[in-house]
Amino acid sequence: MAKIGKQTQFSLTYIFLALWAVLLIRGLVVSYTAVEEVSYSEFLQALDEGRVREIEVFANFIRGKMQRLTAEGAKEVSFATVRVEPELSEQLKRHSVAFKGVVENTLVRDLLSWTVPILFFAGLWLLIMRRFGPQQQSLMLGKKARVAMAEDLKTTFSDVAGVDEAKQELEEVIEFLKSPQRFTHLGGKLPKGILLVGPPGTGKTLLAKAVAGESKVPFFSLSGSEFVEMFVGLGAARVRDLFTQAKEKAPCIIFIDELDALGKARGMGMMGGHDEREQTLNQLLVEMDGFDATIGVILMAATNRPEILDPALLRPGRFDRQVLVDRPDRQGRVAILRVHIKGVRVAPGLDLELLANMTPGFVGADLANLVNEAALLAVRHGKEEVGMPEFQEAVERLMAGLEKKNRLINAKEREIVAFHEIGHALVALCLPGTDPVQKISIVPRGIAALGYTLQVPTEDRFLLTKTELENRIAVALGGRAAEELVFSDISTGAHNDLSKATNLARSMVKEYGMASDLGQVYFESERRSPFLQTAMGGSQEYSDHTARLIDEAIKAIIIGQYRVATRILQEKRNSLEGGAKLLLEKETIEGEELKRLCGAAPEPPA
């Protein structure tokens, strides 16, 4: 009741102030509208004729009363005019007009010029403070989490495929959220934090939503970068408020995406240990220690850079369970494709097994994009169903880029590209342990690719032998070897091949210990992410002499495999010439056509 009376008093004050302002403005308007403004010449004429009764002389104008002659007779009116002549007093004395000097009172005008803006901004500030008072400041500063209630969550485990091991790990979380007494009865506690680790696009966020959907509990979601702001203390306030909200809605799930933006190891920032990100991380660590796992609040997070997380986050009692969400294998890709084609009208007999074989290394996001690209291609081709040709074209488009059929290439360059691509394909056909060649094309694709050779593995590989790695280097160098063999010259078209071959050779020497002169030693000292092809940057931990031996070993592998590719192409010179001629005629040929043209592949050179 006291609060209501205070609000009423506050409103009445504003009403009285508004009425006072209206009356003041009305009085000023009325007082000014009753005075008739005349010209100075008319005033002088009335003065000469003796019609001026009295005046008030101000600094810049004259105000008074005078007789005005009308048809009905003389009429007294109030007038005002601008003061022009300074020697007016003599004329007034001569005509016996009473006059006086008046000092202009500007108090009201000055008061209004100061008080009106002050009152306006004061009222605006009070309005803002009333709307965002202390009871709602947490909403303005901390409540940034997107909350999805149980009835709004439609994602379930049926929408997730290809990550069966991760789903099994998370089923325990669902059981705890549905019936926590089964675990607490024996004194068991669920892990406070569950960290989903895996490459980008594998479905970590989707898995977290599916856990909430299966559990039928509220789902709080934020990105790690949303905690960190330029204002000191704001990130920590958001962390506190997030856990407060979660406890009020328990059981529930808190999900922090891209945890590495917030949980990077302390001491790595530019501002040492006092920057805002580290304060936010410290608050997160404190909150994780302070809440009881038995109340039903599950903290989940996702990252693809676990190697840079602060060790305090990963200790038991915080994120003490890590769930790997890895790239799907062939069967996993088949299951993911089945999920994504549910809403697509596909042609009967679509071979998902073949599609899975054609997409090694694709994650769930890639496969979703593949299905969408195939559907768009079917619409572009005027078809009513999405068939295998559209899916194959979509695979080539995602792996090699968009076809550039309108790009004009002169005859000499087309010939070089044709021999280059046939060189890759022939070396791949003649060496064991290489991926089968499916298609060769000299149609430009993407930004810089003037042609490509598509190799499709028959199965997922997790281990490669030294011989298989060397053969892959030879295949990469086959295009450059064909150019030199046929044209006695080389072009810039092999820059990407050289990069791949060099990286493979460097990994063989520095990471896999496959250089006999260097022994079984690991030289890659940089902290590398297991999911991203990036390095954290580190100092060299071996001598200059060892570095020279490493360079020589890498160079020896490249030179040796280049000789292997050259020998194969010399032996298959007729097939090289015939394959390039056929490719120039058709622009695209299948791997089976090249096999028929080559006949039986020779034994690999010793």
Side-chain angles (χ1 to χ4, degrees):
M1 295 298 293
K3 185 177 181 181
I4 296 175
K6 186 176 179 181
Q7 290 180 348
T8 305
Q9 183 180 2
F10 183 78
S11 302
L12 289 175
T13 303
Y14 270 97
I15 291 174
F16 284 126
L17 287 174
L19 289 175
W20 176 79
V22 170
L23 292 175
L24 179 62
I25 294 173
R26 182 177 180 277
L28 292 174
V29 171
V30 170
S31 63
Y32 277 103
T33 53
V35 178
E36 181 179 353
E37 185 175 355
V38 300
S39 64
Y40 193 73
S41 59
E42 184 180 352
F43 163 70
L44 292 178
Q45 182 182 357
L47 185 62
D48 291 336
E49 295 175 356
R51 292 187 285 112
V52 178
R53 296 289 179 257
E54 62 181 28
I55 66 169
E56 295 174 342
V57 181
F58 294 86
N60 299 315
F61 68 96
I62 300 170
R63 187 173 62 190
K65 295 181 179 180
M66 70 177 180
Q67 296 287 333
R68 171 161 290 179
L69 300 176
T70 61
E72 291 81 7
K75 179 182 179 182
E76 187 175 275
V77 294
S78 298
F79 74 93
T81 185
V82 178
R83 182 177 178 181
V84 177
E85 184 178 354
E87 294 81 8
L88 184 63
S89 59
E90 296 297 332
Q91 293 181 343
L92 294 173
K93 288 180 181 180
R94 189 167 55 250
H95 292 88
S96 301
V97 176
F99 65 92
K100 62 179 179 179
V102 179
V103 179
E104 184 178 4
N105 186 2
T106 61
L107 177 62
V108 176
R109 184 178 62 192
D110 295 341
L111 188 63
L112 289 176
S113 65
W114 284 95
T115 57
V116 170
I118 292 174
L119 289 174
F120 173 76
F121 286 110
L124 182 62
W125 176 255
L126 289 173
L127 179 63
I128 293 174
M129 292 305 296
R130 289 184 64 196
R131 291 180 62 88
F132 300 98
Q135 69 277 11
Q136 296 187 14
Q137 283 182 2
S138 61
L139 176 64
M140 181 175 62
L141 298 178
K143 292 187 178 179
K144 276 236 172 182
R146 293 172 293 276
V147 184
M149 302 308 294
E151 58 272 12
D152 300 326
L153 293 169
K154 307 299 181 184
T155 306
T156 61
F157 273 171
S158 61
D159 302 310
V160 183
V163 284
D164 295 336
E165 294 82 2
K167 288 166 65 174
Q168 291 174 3
E169 287 278 341
L170 295 174
E171 283 177 357
E172 191 174 286
V173 178
I174 297 172
E175 289 298 323
F176 178 84
L177 291 171
K178 286 183 176 179
S179 53
Q181 64 277 4
R182 289 182 53 193
F183 296 85
T184 57
H185 176 66
L186 298 177
K189 295 181 180 179
L190 200 69
K192 289 185 179 180
I194 299 173
L195 183 62
L196 303 178
V197 180
T202 50
K204 299 183 290 296
T205 304
L206 184 65
L207 261 177
K209 291 182 179 179
V211 171
E214 291 282 347
S215 307
K216 303 298 182 183
V217 296
F219 182 75
F220 293 81
S221 63
L222 285 97
S223 171
S225 60
E226 291 184 73
F227 287 101
V228 183
E229 300 281 358
M230 65 177 288
F231 301 106
V232 176
L234 186 56
R238 286 182 179 163
V239 172
R240 288 191 297 269
D241 189 76
L242 173 63
F243 279 85
T244 301
Q245 293 180 72
K247 291 174 184 177
E248 292 173 355
K249 296 185 180 297
C252 64
I253 292 176
I254 300 174
F255 177 67
I256 303 176
D257 203 2
E258 304 298 341
L259 180 64
D260 48 272
L262 169 65
K264 190 182 300 181
R266 286 167 290 185
M268 298 178 64
M270 296 179 61
M271 299 177 63
H274 300 285
D275 64 341
E276 170 66 3
R277 183 190 59 79
E278 293 194 4
Q279 291 188 29
T280 307
L281 174 58
N282 290 337
Q283 186 63 43
L284 177 62
L285 296 175
V286 171
E287 293 291 341
M288 292 185 70
D289 276 338
F291 81 91
D292 185 3
T294 60
I295 65 176
V297 178
I298 304 298
L299 180 61
M300 300 181 67
T303 183
N304 48 38
R305 304 180 68 188
E307 77 285 352
I308 69 171
L309 293 180
D310 195 284
L313 273 175
L314 305 179
R315 73 159 176 80
R318 288 175 180 153
F319 285 106
D320 43 11
R321 176 172 295 186
Q322 298 185 23
V323 178
L324 177 61
V325 187
D326 206 352
R327 299 179 185 273
D329 56 11
R330 184 174 60 85
Q331 292 302 323
R333 293 194 295 274
V334 172
I336 294 173
L337 286 169
R338 286 199 179 99
V339 171
H340 289 303
I341 65 173
K342 287 180 180 179
V344 179
R345 186 180 300 173
V346 297
L350 180 66
D351 193 347
L352 295 181
E353 295 283 347
L354 178 58
L355 273 180
N357 287 335
M358 294 173 63
T359 53
F362 276 39
V363 296
D366 297 327
L367 295 172
N369 190 27
L370 169 66
V371 174
N372 184 61
E373 286 287 344
L376 295 178
L377 287 171
V379 174
R380 188 178 304 166
H381 297 161
K383 295 185 177 180
E384 295 296 326
E385 294 177 331
V386 187
M388 198 64 189
E390 284 74 35
F391 278 100
Q392 291 177 334
E393 186 177 347
V395 170
E396 295 176 17
R397 183 170 182 172
L398 293 178
M399 296 180 68
L402 181 65
E403 283 190 354
K404 303 288 186 180
K405 293 185 177 181
N406 295 328
R407 181 180 293 174
L408 298 178
I409 303 177
N410 60 52
K412 180 64 176 177
E413 288 184 349
R414 289 183 78 250
E415 187 179 12
I416 293 174
V417 174
F419 277 100
H420 183 102
E421 298 303 333
I422 293 296
H424 284 307
L426 280 177
V427 175
L429 287 174
C430 297
L431 288 176
T434 59
D435 296 330
V437 177
Q438 181 176 357
K439 182 177 289 189
I440 310 117
S441 174
I442 58 172
V443 177
R445 285 182 175 268
I447 299 176
L450 301 178
Y452 74 98
T453 300
L454 180 62
Q455 293 179 261
V456 179
T458 56
E459 59 184 355
D460 292 325
R461 298 293 305 275
F462 303 100
L463 290 175
L464 292 172
T465 65
K466 179 181 178 181
T467 301
E468 290 171 334
L469 288 173
E470 290 175 342
N471 290 345
R472 292 193 176 198
I473 294 174
V475 172
L477 298 174
R480 169 61 64 87
E483 291 181 23
E484 187 175 12
L485 182 64
V486 174
F487 302 103
S488 300
D489 200 358
I490 56 178
S491 71
T492 60
H495 69 283
N496 191 39
D497 302 329
L498 296 176
S499 174
K500 292 179 179 179
T502 305
N503 288 336
L504 276 175
R506 182 178 291 111
S507 296
M508 289 176 64
V509 174
K510 297 183 69 175
E511 297 183 52
Y512 307 140
M514 294 181 177
S516 56
D517 295 338
L518 293 168
Q520 315 304 313
V521 182
Y522 181 83
F523 295 104
E524 195 66 74
S525 59
E526 295 88 354
R527 294 176 61 191
R528 292 184 179 272
S529 169
F531 308 117
L532 301 175
Q533 300 301 317
T534 57
M536 290 297 296
S539 60
Q540 182 173 295
E541 297 180 356
Y542 43 81
S543 66
D544 293 339
H545 175 69
T546 303
R548 184 166 59 254
L549 292 178
I550 290 173
D551 293 339
E552 291 174 356
I554 294 172
K555 183 178 178 181
I557 293 174
I558 297 293
I559 292 175
Q561 296 312 304
Y562 187 74
R563 289 173 179 168
V564 170
T566 301
R567 286 200 298 268
I568 291 175
L569 295 177
Q570 285 174 339
E571 294 176 4
K572 302 291 289 183
R573 181 64 181 264
N574 292 335
S575 300
L576 178 64
E577 300 279 354
K581 181 179 179 180
L582 181 63
L583 188 58
L584 286 170
E585 292 176 358
K586 302 178 65 175
E587 289 192 335
T588 300
I589 61 176
E590 300 295 329
E592 294 298 326
E593 295 182 70
L594 185 62
K595 284 184 180 180
R596 289 193 296 269
L597 183 65
C598 296
E603 291 294 326

